[in-house]
Amino acid sequence: MRLEEIAAKLGCETLSAVDHDIDVDAVVASDGMSEILAFHRPHALMLTGLTNIQSVRTAVVADVCALIYVRGKRPDAKVLALAGEHGIPVLATPRGMFESCGILYEAGLEGVM
Amino acid sequence: MPEELLSRSFDLHSHDFDKAGEISTEIKGMLKELGIDSQVIRRVVVVCFEAEMNVVMYADEGTLTFVLTDEDINIEIADCGPGIADVDQALEEGWSTATDEMREMGFGFGMGLPNIRRNSDSFDLRSKVGVGTTVTSTIRLDGLG
Ligand SMILES: Nc1ncnc2c1ncn2[C@@H]1O[C@H](COP(=O)(O)OP(=O)(O)OP(=O)(O)O)[C@@H](O)[C@H]1O
Ligand SMILES: [Mg+2]
């Protein structure tokens, strides 16, 4: 599914440049950075409720294709700048983690294993 | 003997959460430029990041040494700090002494050391209470480890 469609389903606001051509087939969702890194599938979409600088570093290390912050959280400018440096699109949804995952699961996306 | 191609050493500073993870990101960029296989890069960078975070969270200071040979990548993270009393317990998934503050930052799931071990072809954890901890990891370039 294209990132653009996902953004529409979750009512996302775009926080940094989004390449709409990104195709997402798997999702990794957690507030635990080591948990995100425990999975091996590159180019997954990352969902998290943590907006600190480590969320972006984790996204870089995990090689995710895009990062969506849940629960309406927004990172500060420094965090967004780091994501920009690494070419990671950043979006924010007002929905919580449970709802966001439910919507994406319903839409046919898989979790990483 | 494998031929050493590149060797770098980085200082790690405790409690500097803002900078924590920077070195791993730098290593990622360096390996990409060298044209290393992306799967290998990912494993190396997960090892570096988790070890870097542990030094920042638990130790006083440390050094990350990175050596690339024509066969593999060797990473050693050595710190001065409290050490780990029970190394086997520390390696169990879910075991953590992280503070609430660390948990709020997304750490303390007790998965860092297991992640390091899982991504290593060869792994060693040595620690002495009151002295420090050394993690060593080797990752083969051919991905056949
Ligand atoms: N360098 C270190 N010095 C002292 N203690 C350490 C060190 N590294 C790990 N530990 C101890 O081992 C425990 C397990 O470490 P591990 O990295 O697996 O999990 P964590 O850091 O608690 O959580 P996570 O890595 O999931 O964020 C830590 O909680 C800590 O008590
Ligand atoms: Mg850890």
Side-chain angles (χ1 to χ4, degrees):
Chain A
M1 186 180 305
R2 288 158 71 84
L3 186 56
E4 199 177 17
E5 279 174 67
I6 291 172
K9 281 189 197 297
L10 296 181
C12 284
E13 182 185 337
T14 301
L15 302 182
S16 80
V18 171
D19 177 355
H20 290 297
D21 270 344
I22 291 176
D23 201 42
V24 177
D25 58 359
V27 180
V28 58
S30 179
D31 286 352
M33 298 302 120
S34 299
E35 190 166 61
I36 286 169
L37 296 176
F39 299 104
H40 287 269
R41 191 140 149 195
H43 310 302
L45 169 67
M46 171 172 159
L47 262 64
T48 187
L50 284 183
T51 54
N52 59 22
I53 193 99
Q54 302 307 338
S55 63
V56 172
R57 295 234 165 85
T58 300
V60 173
V61 172
D63 243 335
V64 304
C65 67
L67 177 51
I68 300 182
Y69 291 115
V70 299
R71 301 196 284 277
K73 295 225 185 163
R74 285 145 189 289
D76 63 29
K78 201 172 59 183
V79 173
L80 278 179
L82 184 66
E85 254 174 59
H86 290 278
I88 299 173
V90 181
L91 301 101
T93 173
R95 293 189 186 270
M97 186 67 107
F98 178 77
E99 281 190 353
S100 300
C101 290
I103 290 166
L104 297 184
Y105 187 79
E106 185 93 314
L109 286 166
E110 305 178 2
V112 294
M113 282 311 271
Chain B
M1 269 297 278
E3 191 191 342
E4 187 175 312
L5 303 175
L6 180 87
S7 169
R8 299 255 336 246
S9 199
F10 303 86
D11 288 336
L12 303 173
H13 302 286
S14 184
H15 307 303
D16 193 346
F17 274 94
D18 243 26
K19 287 218 162 70
E22 250 181 11
I23 289 159
S24 308
T25 318
E26 191 180 329
I27 289 173
K28 182 179 183 182
M30 187 171 88
L31 294 178
K32 256 187 170 169
E33 259 173 47
L34 290 167
I36 306 286
D37 174 72
S38 66
Q39 283 283 88
V40 172
I41 295 182
R42 188 163 192 277
R43 292 170 65 195
V44 170
V45 178
V46 169
V47 167
C48 292
F49 183 76
E50 294 287 14
E52 206 185 335
M53 287 312 306
N54 281 353
V55 172
V56 170
M57 291 200 292
Y58 308 110
D60 302 324
E61 56 183 349
T63 315
L64 187 155
T65 312
F66 172 96
V67 178
L68 169 72
T69 76
D70 54 357
E71 285 178 7
D72 52 27
I73 290 169
N74 299 279
I75 304 143
E76 184 195 83
I77 302 96
D79 70 55
C80 303
I84 301 171
D86 186 339
V87 165
D88 290 331
Q89 186 176 46
L91 282 165
E92 270 172 36
E93 214 160 280
W95 195 83
S96 176
T97 61
T99 61
D100 286 348
E101 194 194 356
M102 293 168 188
R103 289 173 206 269
E104 270 161 34
M105 282 190 282
F107 296 91
F109 282 61
M111 293 190 75
L113 290 171
N115 277 351
I116 294 174
R117 178 154 69 174
R118 198 178 310 117
N119 282 290
S120 305
D121 290 319
S122 131
F123 167 83
D124 191 37
L125 172 63
R126 279 161 207 266
S127 192
K128 209 168 172 189
V129 172
V131 180
T133 302
T134 301
V135 176
T136 49
S137 162
T138 301
I139 295 162
R140 290 172 58 107
L141 294 177
D142 60 12
L144 298 176

